[in-house]
Amino acid sequence: MPRAARPRRRTALAALSTCLMLGCGAGAAPQGAEQTRPPSAPAEPGDGVVTWASSADRVGEAVDGRGYRLVVHTSVGGSGLRVRLSNAFGDQPVTFRNVHAGLRRDGAALVPGSNRRLTFDGARSVTVPAGGIVYSDPLPGHVPAASSLAVSLYVPRAGGALTGHWMAMQTSYTAEGDHTAEESAVHWKQRTGSWFYLDAVTVRPRSASGAVVAVGDSVTDGWQSTTGLNRRWPDYLARRLAESPTTTVEGVANAGIAGNRVLTDVPGQSALNRLSRDALSLPGVRTVFLFQGVNDIKAEPGATAARLIAGYRALVNRAHAAGKCVVGATIAPFKGWREWDPAGEAVRQEVNAFIRTSGEFDAVADFDRVLRSPYDQERILPGFDGGDHLHPNDKGMRAMADAVDLESLDCGSSRPGQG
């Protein structure tokens, strides 16, 4: 039966006051001696819904005494904002101090009055052990959908491997020393195209909303889309969901990693090895959207269709066991890319036939048919080609999002075990 229509949500930043956005005056910073949350008290994800996420990987060596102002884009709006900080790939403990969240005005500058301190079990500092993650306490106030959020954190003590996300397709900022409470851009002079430590943001929506997480590679990560304008295909999907009067899925998490594979751990952990952390553990996720496999096919040696299909089945079974719906997307054409060959194309066709006809997925998004040229079905349509014959441009990204059946993303809400 069709769901009752819900009012269309406003996403314009100007429609809400700064105080409404992040609750000016509520949840004041603790006074007195600084407290540090012990690493032996892991935070729980709570009952919120993920509004933004990225997939963690090792991105270099950590540095003491550095500040990070990380710019991210929310999907669903809500109250009780929490951030998830990750040391998943660290080999030493890392301490975070004076973490703040505010609304970005432009560049590294924030909307005046919006920057608020986040705490961890009431403490202003937290130490996360190697391999660990931590959630902040909920922040009073409301954060709008489709808003540009800046999470600022200071790392006095780190060292060893640095956890983050290399290809953000978004400009963030770093600084020497602790300038997290400052709303001006004066000390945030150094630009970066990566995110560090931050891998998820959650909120409590006003309605009973859920989320979808897109597990993928560089196409999902947004390569060849316009940097800073949020034109990855999951971003376009979030805009469609925001305008839909019927679906109750509003949160969108991007779990794409450039070069990532289903079966092997180069680069980043494989989809099989990161599914739990990057998708199933995120609060409010109803549906896993699986769009991955081209890197397995074009590897040397490339995966066989049988091995790749077995990998898909394992991912689907694990997601279903967790009560999630799984949407499978066909692998897009890539003839013209340097690693394309007829043998790999035959594997792609066999795998796509499985995705379309096996019935193992709860729904299918046929990105192959959306992107391929009618004149050469092994190639991306020239108008959608970002220039390298593998990655779609902004128009191609939008066409992919437009091809997703929004109602199919809601099916996870009825699966047994869904929380």
Side-chain angles (χ1 to χ4, degrees), residues 281-340:
S281 70
L282 295 173
V285 168
R286 293 180 186 168
T287 301
V288 175
F289 194 111
L290 180 61
F291 174 46
Q292 202 160 350
V294 68
N295 290 316
D296 297 80
I297 292 173
K298 65 185 184 64
E300 185 59 47
T304 64
R307 286 193 64 218
L308 197 47
I309 288 169
Y312 287 148
R313 285 194 168 113
L315 290 167
V316 170
N317 289 340
R318 287 171 56 194
H320 282 169
K324 316 299 182 184
C325 165
V326 185
V327 176
T330 51
I331 302 171
F334 65 104
K335 187 177 183 180
W337 179 263
R338 61 186 178 275
E339 294 165 310
W340 183 92

